[in-house]
Amino acid sequence: MNGIRLSQGGDCHHQRPVYSAAIDLGAAPGAWSMFLSSMCELVVAVDPAELHPYAQLPNIHHIRKKASDACRDLEALLRREEKQVDVLTCDMNMHPVRASQVLKSFLQYLKPGGQVVLTLKFTGTGRDRSKMATVLQDVFQDDLEDMHMIWLLSNTVCEQTWIGRVR
């Protein structure tokens, strides 16, 4: 399950914290959303595809749209629920630079100190993705701190995870 990445990423050491809200971009089939639902009062799953029945939980709200089309619905939901966002995950199946651009437009919803977890999808072979780390440092330098790329047990050979905190 991809949701294990958050706990592996360093935010859940001894017991799971309780967060107000999380946004899960590229949510389907719903592993991240289901994992986040155990520690968040509200999870907003954003994906045009249907969530698996295991992720259709009372505290998961599914916005069935592409991320680029979901902002108005997301803003209305957060306003109605009076929630601030603590965690933003992104596991969209697209090139890392494009995924980072989409994710960057959602940073406005996170409160200071909020955690960002971006699953990077690579093509080709090899494990050295250090050039992408430099690119992402540049992309997020004004927005995030404590940024680093990690290889998690749940990452495939063609994935790595980028983690940071909102300034």
Side-chain angles (χ1 to χ4, degrees):
M1 175 190 321
N2 291 342
I4 196 74
R5 292 181 182 141
L6 185 61
S7 61
Q8 287 182 347
D11 205 49
C12 307
H13 294 295
H14 301 290
Q15 63 182 23
R16 290 186 179 166
V18 177
Y19 296 117
S20 177
I23 300 170
D24 181 15
L25 303 176
W32 261 116
S33 295
M34 189 177 82
F35 175 79
L36 291 166
S37 74
S38 69
M39 64 180 73
C40 297
E41 295 170 8
L42 172 69
V43 176
V44 183
V46 179
D47 198 299
E50 187 173 336
L51 294 180
H52 190 279
Y54 66 70
Q56 295 175 11
L57 300 172
N59 65 331
I60 297 177
H61 181 89
H62 185 195
I63 297 176
R64 206 162 171 189
K65 295 181 176 181
K66 290 183 176 183
S68 57
D69 300 326
C71 290
R72 184 174 294 156
D73 293 335
L74 175 64
E75 290 168 3
L77 176 64
L78 294 174
R79 195 171 33 256
R80 183 176 67 244
E81 297 292 327
E82 299 178 351
K83 299 290 184 195
Q84 287 192 308
V85 178
D86 301 285
V87 180
L88 172 60
T89 62
C90 179
D91 197 359
M92 294 186 292
N93 192 16
M94 58 180 58
H95 187 275
V97 173
R98 178 69 186 122
S100 67
Q101 292 167 342
V102 172
L103 182 135
K104 192 170 172 103
S105 68
F106 282 81
L107 294 178
Q108 64 181 318
Y109 302 111
L110 270 89
K111 65 183 184 183
Q115 185 170 353
V116 174
V117 182
L118 170 60
T119 304
L120 304 172
K121 314 287 185 176
F122 295 102
T123 57
T125 58
R127 293 180 180 231
D128 181 17
R129 309 298 186 185
S130 56
K131 290 178 185 171
M132 185 54 63
T134 302
V135 169
L136 293 175
Q137 289 281 354
D138 291 342
V139 169
F140 292 113
Q141 68 182 347
D142 295 332
D143 306 302
L144 301 178
E145 59 189 9
D146 300 328
M147 296 178 281
H148 54 283
M149 191 161 14
I150 57 176
W151 192 295
L152 302 174
L153 294 174
S154 56
N155 287 132
T156 68
V157 173
C158 295
E159 295 179 334
Q160 283 189 324
T161 300
W162 180 260
I163 296 177
R165 290 196 181 277
V166 174
R167 292 188 187 276

